[in-house]
Amino acid sequence: MKYAGKTALPCLALPTRLLTRSFGMWSGNGTFGGSDNSPSPAPGEFGGSDNSPSPAPGVSISSCHGSHVSVPVLSNTSVQGDVNISYSCSGVDSSASMVTPKPDTDPKSVILAYKESILPAYRTVQEYNSLLDEHVLLQDRYTQLLMVQKHRPQRERVEEISSRGDALHQVLTTRERKYQSISVKQFFSRMDTTGDVPRAVVLQGHPGMGKSFTAQKIMHDWVLGTLFAGTFDVAFHLECKELNLCRQEKSLIELLSLESSFQPAMKEVLTKSPQKVLFLVDGFDELRFSLEVPRLSLPSDAFTRAPVEATLSALLRGHILSKSSLLVTSRSTASDRLNTLLKQPQRFTEILGFSEEGVQEYFQRFFKDEKLHSWAYDSIRSNESLFAACFIPIICWIVCTVLREHFEEGREDQMELTTTTSIFVHFVSTLLEHHCRGLSQPVPTLLRSLGQLAERGILEQQVLFEKKQVEEMVSDPESVPFLCKSLRKKTVGKKTMFSFMHLSFQEFFTALSYATADEEECRSRVENLLQREANGDRHLLPVIQFLFGLSNTELASTLTETLSLSISHTMHTQLEEWLLRLNSDISEFHKGDIFSFNRDRSVDIFSCLYEHHEEELMRKAMAAWEIFRPQCTTLSKTDCWVLRYCFQYCPEIRCVHLTNCNITAEKLRMLMPLISSCNELELQVEDLSDNDVEDLLICIGQGTALSSLLLAKSSCTEEGYTPEIERLVKSKLTDVGVREILASLSKQKCVGSFKLEALSVTLTTVEVLFDLLQRKTFDISVSFLAAILTDTEDADLRVYLLKIEKNVYPDDSDDTIECFQVSAEIVLSVQDPESHGAQRGLKNFTLRLSPDAQIATIDWRRFFHYCVADNLETDDHVGALMSCLSSMPGLEEVRTSVGHLDEHWTTGFLQLFLTSPHLKRISCSLKMADSKYSQDLCVENYKGMLRLTLKNYNRVPLFLERESKCRIHLSLTCAILLVPLSPELQHLDWTPFFSRCLALEGFTDCPDTDECVEALLSFLSRVPDLRGVRLDLFPLTSTWASGVVTLIQSQPTLSTLRLYCGEQGHGTLSEEGLHILQQSQHLLRGILSLTGLRCRVSADQCLNHTEQKHDEERVELTFSGDSVEERDIHIAHYDEDDALQLCSLQ
């Protein structure tokens, strides 16, 4: 049976359950209906959920002539519900409803039915380029946006507008942290400032930022119960663009356009529970009528009819349903009106766009295919200008759509991304078509007006414009989607400011105004622009690049078709002549070998070529490039992408120098075609990992003239100096990658300089490097650094901060001098409980070897084993280490530090020096754990003489507690000896000298200080052929004075003896000591000089007297013959080299 068409039946009562046979579908207006060709129901439309039963095949219920079927329920072939049939039959005048429907008044069931009825409208979205029947699931597009809830000052808005590339995403991330990032779920939470729950929330955002998309997402999630489930029972969505169409008076309940069956229950909810109701007013800026309605004209409740503006105004002000909640979306151009219009309390929120992570998530949602997603995201990530623009959701959609077209057309292998100019043209066209309603001027006129405003700002470097400035050029600026409005506090008032969405859009509109001017005006303005840029106005370069993009033939045609704009033909020729002339000058400069501190402009030329994107001009320009070497020019990912594109049109590239250019592994892959095709290469790559080594080896190939390969951080960085160990621990390069790199170097035609920084290497790999050094693989220099050195054969071997260097540099005779240098730090776990936490044993070392040293034959495992030995401080192990060092061929210098400098170390190092003919210098330092004291030992060959320095860097005098009385501990802070080198020195037992010095310097116990002084000076009197002595002591006592006199008498070869009392001569000269020296001055032979503070009190009183030493004068006393010459020293300038003044003694 089928109910359709006319019938001879009179009006009659039908049961509520009917059995029918036929076919038919659920119609879009909520009834069964109408024809055999009716479209299929969307999932969930029937009954409002995905689990609702669908009509059975072969069953159709339809009506005509005023009949209708309401609330049907279909089970198999049975239809349940209230059926009303009205027929006009021949001979029968009958119109009756057999069953009168009874509206459901239960609010919960009505709300559930309401949700089911509106869900299909929010489940899908129709994109700008969708055809009539094309939809996309909301969940496949919506991505979390970056939102903040505080107004930002003008300075920060300028920063946001002007930042580019990665810097823009960093700025947005900073804003998110600083201005309390907020999510939709938190919109109606308590505010931190007052603790109130807001009744009105403003969601502000520029055009294309996703305000309406967010509103749809809110409604969708509320219907599903995942958002505001316990906060709002009902949510209503009012679209302002639809409210503009209302011409008749309407009540609020009528504006909601509810089905008649829902209205009774909804009236009850609005009346009894308004606090559980949310009104989402979307697109406030699109309203074409004023809401400034007098209060007396406002409706008194939600059911009273009034003009639409009055009804909406009453809702927003809280005149009706004051306890309900509002969420209003608006552009920034209209948000200031909301501040005074909306009820209180209010919360202000603003969409900033996508974060960097948000852009990536959007790409993942847009491109479900993993391969396609990876290709697309990597492509856009490499173009920093476009990637930065993707923080605007609508641009992100445009970019993804263009990339999808590339992929569908099979162009993904070309890795050729569209130009920035073309994306901006798409953006302008999209906003004009979908986000502009009621413009007060034609589109071409509007775009030229925007161009004039943008040009003024660009030339004056201005990104914020006062309202008066804007209105002089742009009619009704608040309706223009490309302008953003903000309020700036000014004393006690507010000032309205406008800006473009971003500086790049301002630059684009400036270029558009040039390109669309008439021929003569365009020629004049472009000529002036090029001249200003040549004179140093580098901020104009992006405008020039946009001009090149707009002069592209295909893009110019697009502008004519879509926006009715004509691009100047004169400009194309003018730009080409300028570029080829500049291109010739710059390419010739690259062929020279002159370093310039001026900014390299080659990338500027290539960027213009890339935006122009036409092969004919590209081939003309690139024919001049045989050598490419930007000097200390930081290359962005966009630059690298541009270089890759341009150099594919270069006939031959002989030489590429890319050092100090901030090349990362990612950029290296972009530049691979360029680098791998050259014959001579200088390359510096940062942040290389083991996984990137294969790409590196492909780039450098085999048989290349590798002038320089630097696998380390650039020296031209804005961050300043970073300690080596901090850089190395962040390195991603380990032993596996290092071994592959070293193996590749042996296959090159030649290698000039080589530098590598790695996290960890093994001793085996280091030995491979030593073998390369031995074979003179490197012509100039080598710098090899690793944070950790380990050994596969010795698990206990662990060395930190290993450095191996080779340097070649000219000497005074124009010959070259080479040297090898190996240094490292050793960290031991052995602790001496009585050394105040100081680590014992060797802590770091540097070995310098001659260039002809057979370094590959050295047993480095044995050496490192001795370095990290736990019991290194015993005589046997110190001796074993010294023996290992003495066996190293060509060892010229040793620099090291130890955790505990005692006579074992000092004597061992001195004997090593005396028995190693090539050794020129040994220096050893002790740095105490508490950082208050340090000590240096230096043994060196100075013109055939032994210069021995033992220096203590104590900053505070040392005192000892004895029998509750405080007495000064006699101390020595510096001892320097100068002795001609001779075999006799090897046989001299130096232990007494070092032990007494260390005791007097406070590093070992000294039971009897007078005995220590006497023993020290006694030893000096036995040193053969002693020429010079310097002692820094504190203070000058009778013991010191008597010993000095004896030393001078016993050493006839001694020509100079200098005494400094205290550091820099600021110690006290006691009268007892001076008296002894003055009595013996006829014995001093004129070789003694003494510097210190004059003091006339006894030594027992020196402790208290030192507190007033700043009132004393520092003097230098020279004892010559029978007289003492005294000279005041007023300027206390202390040079470190002053401690080594004995170097001039012969």
Side-chain angles (χ1 to χ4, degrees):
M1 159 192 313
K2 177 179 179 181
Y3 293 96
K6 289 189 177 182
T7 179
L9 291 175
C11 287
L12 51 118
L14 296 178
T16 58
R17 182 177 297 254
L18 300 174
L19 294 177
T20 62
R21 284 274 179 200
S22 187
F23 56 90
M25 303 305 294
W26 175 242
S27 66
N29 61 3
T31 67
F32 281 102
S35 82
D36 297 346
N37 298 321
S38 300
S40 301
E45 284 187 318
F46 184 81
S49 78
D50 294 340
N51 298 321
S52 301
S54 299
V59 176
S60 175
I61 296 178
S62 60
S63 62
C64 62
H65 297 286
S67 301
H68 68 270
V69 181
S70 63
V71 198
V73 179
L74 179 64
S75 176
N76 295 326
T77 57
S78 175
V79 178
Q80 262 189 331
D82 297 329
V83 180
N84 179 294
I85 300 177
S86 177
Y87 278 86
S88 177
C89 304
S90 177
V92 178
D93 183 11
S94 176
S95 177
S97 177
M98 311 313 296
V99 179
T100 303
K102 296 181 180 180
D104 193 345
T105 58
D106 178 36
K108 290 186 178 180
S109 60
V110 171
I111 291 172
L112 179 61
Y114 168 66
K115 288 183 175 182
E116 291 173 344
S117 69
I118 67 174
L119 177 60
Y122 297 106
R123 180 185 288 128
T124 60
V125 294
Q126 191 169 28
E127 297 180 312
Y128 296 129
N129 62 344
S130 296
L131 299 179
L132 186 61
D133 58 345
E134 289 182 335
H135 293 84
V136 179
L137 288 176
L138 178 70
Q139 63 185 14
D140 289 345
R141 287 291 184 269
Y142 185 81
T143 302
Q144 182 65 45
L145 292 161
L146 189 62
M147 304 178 192
V148 295
Q149 55 175 329
K150 187 176 180 181
H151 294 278
R152 291 160 344 269
Q154 178 177 330
R155 173 183 54 80
E156 295 189 352
R157 287 191 176 274
V158 171
E159 184 182 17
E160 294 165 16
I161 295 170
S162 306
S163 298
R164 303 178 188 271
D166 290 337
L168 176 59
H169 288 286
Q170 293 172 4
V171 167
L172 294 180
T173 302
T174 302
R175 299 293 183 271
E176 180 184 18
R177 292 194 298 264
K178 183 176 180 180
Y179 292 111
Q180 298 177 329
S181 171
I182 190 171
S183 65
V184 174
K185 291 182 179 180
Q186 299 170 312
F187 277 0
F188 293 95
S189 62
R190 293 190 181 277
M191 295 185 289
D192 294 338
T193 52
T194 62
D196 295 331
V197 175
R199 284 298 177 195
V201 175
V202 177
L203 179 60
Q204 174 183 303
H206 304 322
M209 281 292 187
K211 301 181 296 298
S212 295
F213 212 48
T214 300
Q216 181 173 343
K217 174 67 171 172
I218 290 172
M219 290 299 298
H220 176 268
D221 290 354
W222 172 78
V223 168
L224 295 182
T226 59
L227 180 67
F228 301 145
T231 307
F232 302 118
D233 292 340
V234 184
F236 298 111
H237 188 190
L238 293 173
E239 294 187 78
C240 292
K241 60 184 177 182
E242 293 185 0
L243 296 181
N244 289 329
L245 304 177
C246 295
R247 297 291 184 262
Q248 300 176 348
E249 292 187 350
K250 286 183 178 287
S251 66
L252 178 60
I253 196 73
E254 290 173 327
L255 284 180
L256 299 179
S257 301
L258 296 172
E259 294 184 23
S260 58
S261 60
F262 297 156
Q263 289 190 13
M266 290 302 184
K267 288 181 179 179
E268 181 180 347
V269 172
L270 293 176
T271 304
K272 295 182 177 180
S273 306
Q275 73 278 5
K276 304 290 283 186
V277 178
L278 170 66
F279 291 95
L280 201 164
V281 182
D282 184 23
F284 175 82
D285 55 281
E286 298 182 63
L287 288 175
R288 296 180 186 174
F289 47 77
S290 172
L291 295 178
E292 300 297 329
V293 180
R295 180 171 289 273
L296 293 177
S297 301
L298 298 177
S300 58
D301 55 49
F303 316 110
T304 301
R305 288 184 174 181
V308 174
E309 58 269 29
T311 300
L312 183 59
S313 179
L315 174 66
L316 297 179
R317 295 184 190 183
H319 188 73
I320 59 176
L321 303 179
S322 59
K323 294 184 179 181
S324 66
S325 296
L326 297 171
L327 174 55
V328 184
T329 71
S330 175
R331 293 181 188 173
S332 60
T333 52
S335 60
D336 56 324
R337 286 186 288 156
L338 283 170
N339 185 46
T340 57
L341 183 63
L342 291 183
K343 59 186 176 183
Q344 299 287 347
Q346 296 177 8
R347 168 175 272 149
F348 169 86
T349 64
E350 182 175 5
I351 298 176
L352 299 184
F354 286 145
S355 63
E356 184 172 348
E357 295 75 15
V359 174
Q360 184 173 12
E361 181 185 343
Y362 187 87
F363 271 69
Q364 289 173 334
R365 292 179 179 275
F366 192 96
F367 301 102
K368 292 184 177 299
D369 181 86
E370 184 61 32
K371 176 185 176 183
L372 182 53
H373 157 252
S374 298
W375 170 79
Y377 184 74
D378 290 344
S379 297
I380 192 64
R381 191 69 182 83
S382 63
N383 190 323
E384 289 170 307
S385 56
L386 279 184
F387 184 71
C390 281
F391 86 95
I392 302 175
I394 191 174
I395 289 190
C396 204
W397 174 80
I398 292 173
V399 169
C400 288
T401 302
V402 172
L403 290 176
R404 183 172 59 188
E405 291 178 1
H406 279 221
F407 188 83
E408 291 173 349
E409 295 171 5
R411 289 192 282 160
E412 72 277 6
D413 293 337
Q414 299 177 17
M415 293 295 287
E416 181 181 317
L417 186 62
T418 187
T419 63
T420 304
T421 310
S422 64
I423 290 294
F424 277 39
V425 169
H426 284 306
F427 170 74
V428 171
S429 300
T430 302
L431 253 63
L432 286 173
E433 181 179 355
H434 299 283
H435 290 260
C436 283
R437 291 178 175 85
L439 288 175
S440 59
Q441 54 190 143
V443 168
T445 305
L446 170 64
L447 294 179
R448 292 189 183 97
S449 300
L450 288 172
Q452 293 174 6
L453 177 66
E455 180 187 14
R456 174 189 289 186
I458 290 296
L459 296 180
E460 297 176 3
Q461 300 190 50
Q462 177 186 2
V463 295
L464 291 179
F465 304 91
E466 294 186 2
K467 184 178 182 179
K468 183 179 179 180
Q469 286 180 292
V470 178
E471 290 178 338
E472 289 174 357
M473 300 182 181
V474 182
S475 175
D476 190 15
E478 295 193 7
S479 67
V480 178
F482 308 104
L483 294 177
C484 306
K485 180 180 175 182
S486 61
L487 296 176
R488 186 183 71 181
K489 291 182 179 180
K490 186 178 181 182
T491 316
V492 294
K494 293 180 292 186
K495 191 172 186 179
T496 301
M497 306 295 290
F498 285 88
S499 70
F500 289 86
M501 297 174 70
H502 187 264
L503 176 60
S504 55
F505 296 109
Q506 185 175 338
E507 293 161 345
F508 171 79
F509 281 110
T510 301
L512 194 63
S513 72
Y514 281 66
T516 55
D518 60 58
E519 297 294 340
E520 183 57 33
E521 182 186 356
C522 175
R523 186 199 62 77
S524 176
R525 292 171 67 187
V526 170
E527 182 178 351
N528 180 60
L529 177 72
L530 297 176
Q531 186 60 48
R532 290 190 59 166
E533 194 277 339
N535 292 338
D537 289 346
R538 298 290 181 249
H539 68 282
L540 300 177
L541 182 63
V543 178
I544 297 175
Q545 291 172 355
F546 277 124
L547 286 176
F548 273 91
L550 292 171
S551 66
N552 175 275
T553 304
E554 182 178 347
L555 199 57
S557 299
T558 301
L559 284 168
T560 302
E561 294 172 6
T562 59
L563 302 177
S564 302
L565 296 174
S566 298
I567 302 299
S568 168
H569 297 289
T570 303
M571 182 184 72
H572 186 285
T573 305
Q574 190 177 6
L575 291 174
E576 180 174 332
E577 292 175 353
W578 172 82
L579 184 139
L580 292 176
R581 183 171 59 253
L582 185 61
N583 180 75
S584 176
D585 294 341
I586 296 175
S587 61
E588 285 299 318
F589 179 80
H590 276 240
K591 294 176 183 178
D593 195 22
I594 302 174
F595 181 83
S596 173
F597 288 99
N598 295 327
R599 177 179 172 273
D600 183 79
R601 302 211 55 198
S602 59
V603 177
D604 299 341
I605 293 294
F606 299 142
S607 297
C608 291
L609 286 170
Y610 180 82
E611 285 299 315
H612 187 61
H613 231 68
E614 290 191 357
E615 185 173 339
E616 182 180 356
L617 178 59
M618 189 73 67
R619 292 194 182 279
K620 285 182 183 179
M622 297 310 297
W625 288 91
E626 297 179 356
I627 298 175
F628 177 59
R629 45 184 173 195
Q631 299 174 348
C632 284
T633 300
T634 299
L635 297 177
S636 66
K637 283 177 281 194
T638 303
D639 296 334
C640 295
W641 190 267
V642 167
L643 291 174
R644 177 193 178 104
Y645 173 79
C646 292
F647 272 96
Q648 67 179 320
Y649 296 97
C650 182
E652 181 185 9
I653 179 71
R654 294 189 293 107
C655 176
V656 174
H657 289 188
L658 294 173
T659 54
N660 290 323
C661 293
N662 194 30
I663 302 297
T664 61
E666 182 181 2
K667 297 175 186 177
L668 179 69
R669 283 187 284 273
M670 297 181 199
L671 296 172
M672 189 178 294
L674 167 62
I675 297 173
S676 60
S677 61
C678 69
N679 300 320
E680 180 185 337
L681 176 64
E682 284 190 11
L683 179 63
Q684 181 173 12
V685 185
E686 303 178 10
D687 299 324
L688 200 70
S689 70
D690 293 340
N691 295 330
D692 304 320
V693 169
E694 182 179 356
D695 295 326
L696 172 69
L697 300 186
I698 292 174
C699 285
I700 64 179
Q702 295 184 16
T704 304
L706 201 56
S707 302
S708 176
L709 180 61
L710 310 177
L711 307 178
K713 277 283 187 183
S714 173
S715 59
C716 295
T717 59
E718 298 180 356
E719 292 82 6
Y721 175 75
T722 303
E724 290 174 340
I725 192 62
E726 289 186 20
R727 295 202 316 268
L728 293 175
V729 295
K730 297 177 182 178
S731 175
K732 304 171 187 175
L733 196 60
T734 65
D735 187 73
V736 176
V738 174
R739 186 83 64 89
E740 294 178 9
I741 294 169
L742 295 179
S744 173
L745 294 180
S746 62
K747 302 174 184 178
Q748 305 307 320
K749 181 179 179 180
C750 61
V751 183
S753 299
F754 174 62
K755 182 175 182 179
L756 183 145
E757 293 183 352
L759 174 62
S760 62
V761 293
T762 62
L763 185 57
T764 304
T765 300
V766 171
E767 290 173 341
V768 172
L769 174 63
F770 284 144
D771 182 62
L772 290 175
L773 291 169
Q774 190 71 58
R775 289 188 278 138
K776 295 187 178 295
T777 304
F778 310 100
D779 298 331
I780 301 177
S781 65
V782 173
S783 178
F784 183 94
L785 292 84
I788 303 172
L789 169 68
T790 58
D791 185 15
T792 55
E793 299 182 14
D794 185 356
D796 295 330
L797 179 61
R798 196 171 185 85
V799 176
Y800 295 87
L801 193 55
L802 174 71
K803 295 199 295 185
I804 301 171
E805 299 175 316
K806 171 194 172 184
N807 295 295
V808 179
Y809 49 89
D811 66 2
D812 296 337
S813 62
D814 294 331
D815 294 328
T816 57
I817 299 177
E818 296 183 60
C819 69
F820 296 120
Q821 188 166 288
V822 180
S823 63
E825 292 187 0
I826 312 295
V827 178
L828 302 179
S829 59
V830 179
Q831 298 283 329
D832 180 357
E834 297 184 1
S835 65
H836 306 289
Q839 292 177 329
R840 305 177 69 85
L842 196 63
K843 296 179 70 175
N844 61 59
F845 67 85
T846 298
L847 306 180
R848 181 174 173 179
L849 300 98
S850 62
D852 55 350
Q854 300 296 311
I855 57 174
T857 64
I858 297 174
D859 188 350
W860 292 101
R861 180 171 286 105
R862 175 183 171 226
F863 169 71
F864 284 120
H865 173 74
Y866 285 132
C867 288
V868 300
D870 291 343
N871 53 353
L872 190 57
E873 302 217 342
T874 65
D875 284 337
D876 291 342
H877 281 80
V878 171
L881 176 61
M882 299 306 162
S883 175
C884 181
L885 289 171
S886 65
S887 66
M888 290 185 178
L891 182 62
E892 294 183 342
E893 183 178 358
V894 177
R895 297 194 301 271
T896 185
S897 66
V898 295
H900 185 70
L901 186 60
D902 56 17
E903 60 270 19
H904 299 308
W905 284 110
T906 52
T907 304
F909 279 127
L910 180 57
Q911 290 297 331
L912 172 64
F913 178 84
L914 295 174
T915 56
S916 302
H918 298 289
L919 199 53
K920 299 176 181 178
R921 191 171 191 269
I922 297 178
S923 61
C924 179
S925 65
L926 162 68
K927 184 71 174 178
M928 299 293 285
D930 56 11
S931 300
K932 291 182 178 179
Y933 312 110
S934 63
Q935 190 176 39
D936 283 349
L937 168 70
C938 180
V939 185
E940 55 190 329
N941 184 331
Y942 178 77
K943 296 183 179 180
M945 302 186 75
L946 165 66
R947 183 164 64 185
L948 173 63
T949 303
L950 191 62
K951 187 172 183 180
N952 178 357
Y953 289 93
N954 287 349
R955 296 296 180 185
V956 183
L958 301 177
F959 299 99
L960 295 178
E961 287 285 345
R962 291 189 179 180
E963 300 177 357
S964 300
K965 294 181 180 179
C966 188
R967 65 185 295 267
I968 295 178
H969 174 65
L970 296 174
S971 63
L972 183 69
T973 58
C974 179
I976 303 178
L977 309 181
L978 193 64
V979 188
L981 286 168
S982 65
E984 295 178 315
L985 295 178
Q986 300 179 28
H987 306 297
L988 187 64
D989 183 8
W990 289 85
T991 303
F993 169 76
F994 287 116
S995 63
R996 299 309 190 277
C997 284
L998 293 170
L1000 290 172
E1001 291 181 358
F1003 287 93
T1004 59
D1005 290 337
C1006 183
D1008 190 335
T1009 53
D1010 288 345
E1011 188 277 330
C1012 283
V1013 171
E1014 293 171 356
L1016 172 63
L1017 296 175
S1018 174
F1019 172 83
L1020 294 179
S1021 66
R1022 300 194 302 273
V1023 176
D1025 205 15
L1026 181 64
R1027 299 295 180 87
V1029 176
R1030 170 174 170 167
L1031 299 174
D1032 288 19
L1033 47 89
F1034 180 82
L1036 177 64
T1037 62
S1038 57
T1039 306
W1040 275 112
S1042 301
V1044 166
V1045 174
T1046 303
L1047 174 61
I1048 294 175
Q1049 289 180 298
S1050 61
Q1051 282 286 9
T1053 58
L1054 188 62
S1055 58
T1056 297
L1057 196 158
R1058 300 193 62 183
L1059 300 181
Y1060 283 85
C1061 191
E1063 185 180 6
Q1064 302 181 39
H1066 283 87
T1068 303
L1069 298 173
S1070 65
E1071 288 300 319
E1072 291 90 338
L1074 286 176
H1075 181 70
I1076 293 173
L1077 292 177
Q1078 289 171 344
Q1079 285 186 330
S1080 308
Q1081 63 184 20
H1082 61 286
L1083 303 174
L1084 301 181
R1085 296 187 285 115
I1087 65 173
L1088 175 65
S1089 65
L1090 175 63
T1091 301
L1093 298 174
R1094 294 301 300 262
C1095 178
R1096 301 186 183 279
V1097 299
S1098 64
D1100 293 336
Q1101 297 174 304
C1102 280
L1103 175 60
N1104 294 327
H1105 189 65
T1106 54
E1107 297 177 0
Q1108 286 80 35
K1109 66 180 180 181
H1110 60 275
D1111 296 328
E1112 301 174 343
E1113 293 184 353
R1114 193 162 63 101
V1115 298
E1116 181 182 67
L1117 305 177
T1118 303
F1119 296 83
S1120 60
D1122 295 333
S1123 63
V1124 178
E1125 180 182 345
E1126 181 173 325
R1127 182 170 62 93
D1128 292 340
I1129 303 176
H1130 299 288
I1131 301 177
H1133 178 71
Y1134 184 78
D1135 192 341
E1136 290 294 334
D1137 290 337
D1138 190 43
L1140 303 177
Q1141 287 186 11
L1142 294 174
C1143 65
S1144 60
L1145 297 176
Q1146 298 295 330

